[in-house]
Amino acid sequence: MNGSVLLLGGGRGLGRSLSRSFLKFGVPLFWVTRSRESLSGFAGEVQEIPGSLFFPEAFDICDRKHALSFLDRIRSRSFSDYPPVLAIHNAGYLSGRLDLSLELQEEVDREIDVNFLAPLFWSRRLSKFFAARGEGGHIFLSSGVARTPRPSWGAYGIAKGATEVLSRQLAVELPPPLYSLTFNPGGMATDMRKLAYPEEDPVTLPDPEAIGEKLALFCLRLMDGEGRKFNGSTLVMEDL
């Protein structure tokens, strides 16, 4: 296996678990989180993993100027050594659970920006990069509310549903062996889940560490040449 992973939204929950697994498996990782605190905290963990190739930055993925600068740097740096061959669009934002008509406009805007417009922006540019190299693909982290709308999920559900459509559109446009797919990990003990379901006992939910390791192993298969087989797929945990 050659190449690296670009992980957007690596600072918390499943993203952090995925990051640990990739580095443990020796996969070079370009890593973006919004918070400098989460960057510095995770960087401390990385120092304990021998031989890690970890290239982190902290910025808002909706900041297009910064995103373009970051993409220019990783493309020029990684063309010959460890080019990104998998983009994982994991960053997400949930303001809370409200019907769409009751959400504040600024929260609607933020949920659409983070959960859909940012993946649209990043994936278009990365797809050009993958096509030029003749390899690469996307995984978009999805949600059950993207596929089956439910009350009180407002703009978050709409944005995740739009991202599912984005992935399917890329799947019909990307030439072989490129690919795009979505993955819904299901419920797990994360801060976002606690915000959505404050009444739940987190000990009754799956640990994101186990889910992250299983997803990372699946990603290794994609990077080893199986990606096109899953092009256009809408996967859940049981499919891995």
Side-chain angles (χ1 to χ4, degrees):
M1 177 192 66
N2 297 312
S4 62
V5 169
L6 168 60
L7 176 57
L8 303 174
R12 299 185 302 165
L14 179 60
R16 194 154 179 153
S17 303
L18 263 175
S19 304
R20 292 190 187 101
S21 294
F22 281 130
L23 294 172
K24 181 178 69 176
F25 298 149
V27 178
L29 186 61
F30 290 94
W31 190 87
V32 178
T33 184
R34 188 182 183 195
S35 163
R36 292 194 176 275
E37 289 75 18
S38 63
L39 186 156
S40 59
F42 188 62
E45 291 187 41
V46 172
Q47 291 176 358
E48 300 178 4
I49 304 175
S52 299
L53 290 172
F54 179 60
F55 307 99
E57 283 212 29
F59 65 92
D60 188 341
I61 63 166
C62 299
D63 181 341
R64 295 183 176 181
K65 184 176 179 179
H66 201 146
L68 287 172
S69 174
F70 177 76
L71 285 169
D72 285 343
R73 277 180 281 124
I74 68 170
R75 285 183 298 206
S76 62
R77 180 175 189 174
S78 61
F79 258 120
S80 58
D81 296 331
Y82 25 80
V85 295
L86 176 61
I88 303 177
H89 303 268
N90 178 65
Y93 176 76
L94 174 68
S95 65
R97 287 186 58 198
L98 286 171
D99 288 349
L100 185 61
S101 62
L102 301 177
E103 285 194 89
L104 297 175
Q105 185 61 49
E106 54 265 35
E107 297 291 2
V108 170
D109 292 343
R110 182 65 181 166
E111 287 174 332
I112 297 296
D113 285 348
V114 175
N115 299 308
F116 174 61
L117 292 180
L120 174 63
F121 178 84
W122 284 80
S123 63
R124 290 181 63 241
R125 283 150 184 83
L126 286 162
S127 292
K128 291 179 182 179
F129 172 70
F130 293 154
R133 289 192 54 84
E135 63 177 342
H138 304 273
I139 295 181
F140 296 90
L141 269 292
S142 190
S143 165
V145 298
R147 302 170 186 179
T148 306
R150 302 169 196 167
S152 302
W153 281 94
Y156 178 88
I158 293 169
K160 285 295 187 181
T163 300
E164 294 258 349
V165 177
L166 166 62
S167 179
R168 293 199 296 272
Q169 185 65 37
L170 288 173
V172 299
E173 293 180 353
L174 293 172
L178 276 58
Y179 59 92
S180 178
L181 61 101
T182 63
F183 173 68
N184 172 20
M188 55 187 151
T190 63
D191 290 342
M192 185 178 288
R193 180 75 181 191
K194 187 174 182 180
L195 177 63
Y197 297 101
E199 72 283 358
E200 272 186 338
D201 183 352
V203 302
T204 65
L205 298 170
D207 185 342
E209 288 297 324
I211 295 175
E213 181 163 334
K214 191 170 183 180
L215 178 56
L217 288 169
F218 175 72
C219 289
L220 296 186
R221 293 172 52 195
L222 301 179
M223 296 168 73
D224 275 334
E226 293 189 43
R228 190 69 182 187
K229 182 169 70 174
F230 296 95
N231 187 46
S233 295
T234 54
L235 304 180
V236 295
M237 276 298 297
E238 292 73 20
D239 296 320
L240 301 189

Short mmCIF file of all heavy atoms in Angstrom, two decimals, residues 14 18 141-142 147 182-188 206-218 221 234-240:
data_model
loop_
_atom_site.label_atom_id
_atom_site.label_comp_id
_atom_site.label_asym_id
_atom_site.label_seq_id
_atom_site.Cartn_x
_atom_site.Cartn_y
_atom_site.Cartn_z
N LEU A 14 -15.26 9.63 16.63
CA LEU A 14 -14.82 8.63 15.67
C LEU A 14 -13.57 9.09 14.93
O LEU A 14 -12.68 8.28 14.62
CB LEU A 14 -15.95 8.34 14.68
CG LEU A 14 -15.63 7.32 13.58
CD1 LEU A 14 -15.25 5.96 14.18
CD2 LEU A 14 -16.80 7.18 12.62
N LEU A 18 -10.27 6.85 14.62
CA LEU A 18 -9.71 6.51 13.31
C LEU A 18 -8.25 6.91 13.21
O LEU A 18 -7.42 6.17 12.69
CB LEU A 18 -10.50 7.25 12.22
CG LEU A 18 -11.62 6.52 11.49
CD1 LEU A 18 -12.32 7.49 10.57
CD2 LEU A 18 -11.11 5.33 10.72
N LEU A 141 -18.83 10.48 5.95
CA LEU A 141 -19.52 9.95 7.13
C LEU A 141 -20.95 10.46 7.13
O LEU A 141 -21.21 11.66 7.04
CB LEU A 141 -18.78 10.37 8.40
CG LEU A 141 -17.72 9.39 8.90
CD1 LEU A 141 -18.35 8.10 9.39
CD2 LEU A 141 -16.68 9.09 7.82
N SER A 142 -21.87 9.52 7.25
CA SER A 142 -23.28 9.84 7.13
C SER A 142 -24.01 9.53 8.44
O SER A 142 -23.39 9.31 9.48
CB SER A 142 -23.89 9.08 5.96
OG SER A 142 -25.19 9.52 5.69
N ARG A 147 -30.88 9.11 5.61
CA ARG A 147 -31.56 8.12 4.78
C ARG A 147 -33.03 7.94 5.15
O ARG A 147 -33.84 7.56 4.31
CB ARG A 147 -30.82 6.79 4.88
CG ARG A 147 -29.36 6.93 4.46
CD ARG A 147 -28.51 5.72 4.75
NE ARG A 147 -27.10 6.00 4.46
CZ ARG A 147 -26.12 5.14 4.63
NH1 ARG A 147 -26.37 3.92 5.08
NH2 ARG A 147 -24.87 5.48 4.35
N THR A 182 -20.55 6.40 1.02
CA THR A 182 -20.91 6.94 2.34
C THR A 182 -20.95 5.80 3.35
O THR A 182 -21.19 4.64 3.01
CB THR A 182 -22.28 7.64 2.32
OG1 THR A 182 -23.31 6.69 1.98
CG2 THR A 182 -22.30 8.79 1.32
N PHE A 183 -20.70 6.18 4.59
CA PHE A 183 -20.69 5.20 5.68
C PHE A 183 -21.39 5.78 6.89
O PHE A 183 -21.05 6.86 7.38
CB PHE A 183 -19.25 4.83 6.05
CG PHE A 183 -19.14 3.96 7.27
CD1 PHE A 183 -19.61 2.65 7.25
CD2 PHE A 183 -18.60 4.45 8.44
CE1 PHE A 183 -19.53 1.85 8.38
CE2 PHE A 183 -18.50 3.67 9.58
CZ PHE A 183 -18.98 2.36 9.55
N ASN A 184 -22.41 5.05 7.37
CA ASN A 184 -23.13 5.42 8.58
C ASN A 184 -22.67 4.50 9.71
O ASN A 184 -22.99 3.31 9.70
CB ASN A 184 -24.64 5.28 8.36
CG ASN A 184 -25.43 5.45 9.64
OD1 ASN A 184 -24.95 6.02 10.62
ND2 ASN A 184 -26.65 4.95 9.65
N PRO A 185 -21.91 5.03 10.69
CA PRO A 185 -21.39 4.16 11.75
C PRO A 185 -22.42 3.76 12.79
O PRO A 185 -22.15 2.90 13.63
CB PRO A 185 -20.29 5.02 12.38
CG PRO A 185 -20.76 6.42 12.17
CD PRO A 185 -21.45 6.41 10.82
N GLY A 186 -23.59 4.40 12.78
CA GLY A 186 -24.59 4.11 13.80
C GLY A 186 -24.29 4.84 15.10
O GLY A 186 -23.34 5.62 15.20
N GLY A 187 -25.10 4.59 16.11
CA GLY A 187 -24.91 5.24 17.40
C GLY A 187 -23.66 4.79 18.11
O GLY A 187 -23.30 3.61 18.07
N MET A 188 -22.99 5.73 18.77
CA MET A 188 -21.81 5.41 19.57
C MET A 188 -21.64 6.50 20.62
O MET A 188 -22.26 7.57 20.54
CB MET A 188 -20.56 5.28 18.69
CG MET A 188 -20.28 6.46 17.83
SD MET A 188 -18.92 6.17 16.68
CE MET A 188 -19.42 7.26 15.34
N PRO A 206 -21.96 1.59 21.68
CA PRO A 206 -20.65 1.12 21.22
C PRO A 206 -19.57 2.15 21.45
O PRO A 206 -19.81 3.36 21.39
CB PRO A 206 -20.88 0.87 19.72
CG PRO A 206 -22.34 0.69 19.56
CD PRO A 206 -22.97 1.56 20.60
N ASP A 207 -18.37 1.67 21.70
CA ASP A 207 -17.21 2.52 21.91
C ASP A 207 -16.67 2.96 20.54
O ASP A 207 -16.45 2.13 19.67
CB ASP A 207 -16.13 1.72 22.66
CG ASP A 207 -14.93 2.56 23.04
OD1 ASP A 207 -14.74 3.64 22.46
OD2 ASP A 207 -14.17 2.12 23.92
N PRO A 208 -16.44 4.27 20.33
CA PRO A 208 -15.90 4.70 19.04
C PRO A 208 -14.53 4.12 18.73
O PRO A 208 -14.14 4.05 17.56
CB PRO A 208 -15.85 6.22 19.16
CG PRO A 208 -15.97 6.53 20.61
CD PRO A 208 -16.75 5.40 21.21
N GLU A 209 -13.80 3.66 19.73
CA GLU A 209 -12.47 3.07 19.47
C GLU A 209 -12.61 1.79 18.63
O GLU A 209 -11.87 1.58 17.67
CB GLU A 209 -11.76 2.75 20.79
CG GLU A 209 -11.28 3.97 21.54
CD GLU A 209 -10.23 4.77 20.79
OE1 GLU A 209 -9.40 4.16 20.09
OE2 GLU A 209 -10.26 6.00 20.89
N ALA A 210 -13.54 0.96 19.00
CA ALA A 210 -13.74 -0.29 18.26
C ALA A 210 -14.25 -0.02 16.85
O ALA A 210 -13.81 -0.65 15.87
CB ALA A 210 -14.71 -1.20 19.01
N ILE A 211 -15.16 0.93 16.71
CA ILE A 211 -15.69 1.28 15.39
C ILE A 211 -14.59 1.89 14.54
O ILE A 211 -14.44 1.58 13.34
CB ILE A 211 -16.89 2.24 15.53
CG1 ILE A 211 -18.05 1.52 16.23
CG2 ILE A 211 -17.32 2.77 14.17
CD1 ILE A 211 -19.23 2.40 16.54
N GLY A 212 -13.77 2.76 15.15
CA GLY A 212 -12.68 3.39 14.41
C GLY A 212 -11.68 2.38 13.88
O GLY A 212 -11.23 2.48 12.73
N GLU A 213 -11.35 1.39 14.68
CA GLU A 213 -10.38 0.39 14.22
C GLU A 213 -10.96 -0.45 13.08
O GLU A 213 -10.27 -0.74 12.10
CB GLU A 213 -9.95 -0.51 15.37
CG GLU A 213 -8.92 -1.55 14.95
CD GLU A 213 -8.19 -2.18 16.11
OE1 GLU A 213 -8.08 -1.55 17.17
OE2 GLU A 213 -7.72 -3.32 15.94
N LYS A 214 -12.22 -0.81 13.20
CA LYS A 214 -12.84 -1.61 12.14
C LYS A 214 -12.94 -0.82 10.84
O LYS A 214 -12.67 -1.34 9.75
CB LYS A 214 -14.22 -2.08 12.59
CG LYS A 214 -14.83 -3.13 11.68
CD LYS A 214 -16.09 -3.73 12.30
CE LYS A 214 -16.64 -4.85 11.41
NZ LYS A 214 -17.86 -5.46 11.98
N LEU A 215 -13.29 0.47 10.94
CA LEU A 215 -13.38 1.30 9.76
C LEU A 215 -12.00 1.53 9.15
O LEU A 215 -11.84 1.52 7.92
CB LEU A 215 -14.04 2.65 10.09
CG LEU A 215 -14.16 3.65 8.95
CD1 LEU A 215 -14.91 3.05 7.75
CD2 LEU A 215 -14.85 4.92 9.42
N ALA A 216 -10.97 1.71 9.99
CA ALA A 216 -9.62 1.89 9.48
C ALA A 216 -9.15 0.66 8.71
O ALA A 216 -8.51 0.78 7.65
CB ALA A 216 -8.66 2.20 10.63
N LEU A 217 -9.46 -0.51 9.21
CA LEU A 217 -9.08 -1.74 8.49
C LEU A 217 -9.79 -1.82 7.14
O LEU A 217 -9.21 -2.25 6.14
CB LEU A 217 -9.42 -2.96 9.34
CG LEU A 217 -8.51 -3.19 10.55
CD1 LEU A 217 -9.09 -4.27 11.46
CD2 LEU A 217 -7.10 -3.57 10.12
N PHE A 218 -11.05 -1.40 7.10
CA PHE A 218 -11.77 -1.35 5.83
C PHE A 218 -11.11 -0.35 4.88
O PHE A 218 -10.97 -0.61 3.67
CB PHE A 218 -13.23 -0.98 6.08
CG PHE A 218 -14.04 -0.78 4.82
CD1 PHE A 218 -14.39 -1.85 4.03
CD2 PHE A 218 -14.43 0.50 4.44
CE1 PHE A 218 -15.14 -1.67 2.87
CE2 PHE A 218 -15.19 0.69 3.29
CZ PHE A 218 -15.53 -0.39 2.50
N ARG A 221 -8.27 -1.73 2.98
CA ARG A 221 -8.69 -2.51 1.82
C ARG A 221 -8.97 -1.60 0.62
O ARG A 221 -8.59 -1.91 -0.51
CB ARG A 221 -9.94 -3.31 2.16
CG ARG A 221 -9.73 -4.42 3.18
CD ARG A 221 -11.06 -5.03 3.63
NE ARG A 221 -11.88 -5.44 2.50
CZ ARG A 221 -13.18 -5.72 2.59
NH1 ARG A 221 -13.80 -5.62 3.77
NH2 ARG A 221 -13.86 -6.10 1.53
N THR A 234 -23.68 2.82 0.01
CA THR A 234 -24.14 3.49 1.23
C THR A 234 -24.04 2.45 2.35
O THR A 234 -24.99 1.69 2.58
CB THR A 234 -25.57 4.02 1.08
OG1 THR A 234 -26.43 2.94 0.67
CG2 THR A 234 -25.64 5.12 0.04
N LEU A 235 -22.91 2.41 3.01
CA LEU A 235 -22.58 1.33 3.92
C LEU A 235 -22.96 1.64 5.37
O LEU A 235 -23.08 2.80 5.77
CB LEU A 235 -21.08 1.04 3.85
CG LEU A 235 -20.49 0.72 2.48
CD1 LEU A 235 -18.99 0.48 2.59
CD2 LEU A 235 -21.19 -0.48 1.85
N VAL A 236 -23.13 0.56 6.14
CA VAL A 236 -23.30 0.62 7.58
C VAL A 236 -22.29 -0.33 8.21
O VAL A 236 -21.57 -1.05 7.51
CB VAL A 236 -24.74 0.25 8.00
CG1 VAL A 236 -25.72 1.28 7.47
CG2 VAL A 236 -25.11 -1.15 7.52
N MET A 237 -22.24 -0.36 9.53
CA MET A 237 -21.24 -1.16 10.24
C MET A 237 -21.26 -2.63 9.81
O MET A 237 -20.20 -3.26 9.65
CB MET A 237 -21.44 -1.09 11.75
CG MET A 237 -20.81 0.13 12.40
SD MET A 237 -19.01 0.19 12.24
CE MET A 237 -18.53 -1.28 13.11
N GLU A 238 -22.43 -3.18 9.61
CA GLU A 238 -22.56 -4.59 9.27
C GLU A 238 -21.95 -4.92 7.91
O GLU A 238 -21.70 -6.09 7.61
CB GLU A 238 -24.03 -5.01 9.31
CG GLU A 238 -24.66 -5.01 10.69
CD GLU A 238 -24.94 -3.64 11.25
OE1 GLU A 238 -25.01 -2.68 10.45
OE2 GLU A 238 -25.10 -3.50 12.49
N ASP A 239 -21.72 -3.90 7.08
CA ASP A 239 -21.16 -4.14 5.74
C ASP A 239 -19.64 -4.24 5.75
O ASP A 239 -19.05 -4.68 4.76
CB ASP A 239 -21.56 -2.99 4.80
CG ASP A 239 -23.06 -2.92 4.58
OD1 ASP A 239 -23.68 -3.98 4.44
OD2 ASP A 239 -23.59 -1.80 4.56
N LEU A 240 -19.00 -3.84 6.84
CA LEU A 240 -17.54 -3.82 6.87
C LEU A 240 -16.97 -5.21 7.11
O LEU A 240 -17.54 -6.02 7.79
CB LEU A 240 -17.04 -2.85 7.95
CG LEU A 240 -17.48 -1.40 7.84
CD1 LEU A 240 -16.71 -0.56 8.84
CD2 LEU A 240 -17.29 -0.86 6.42
#
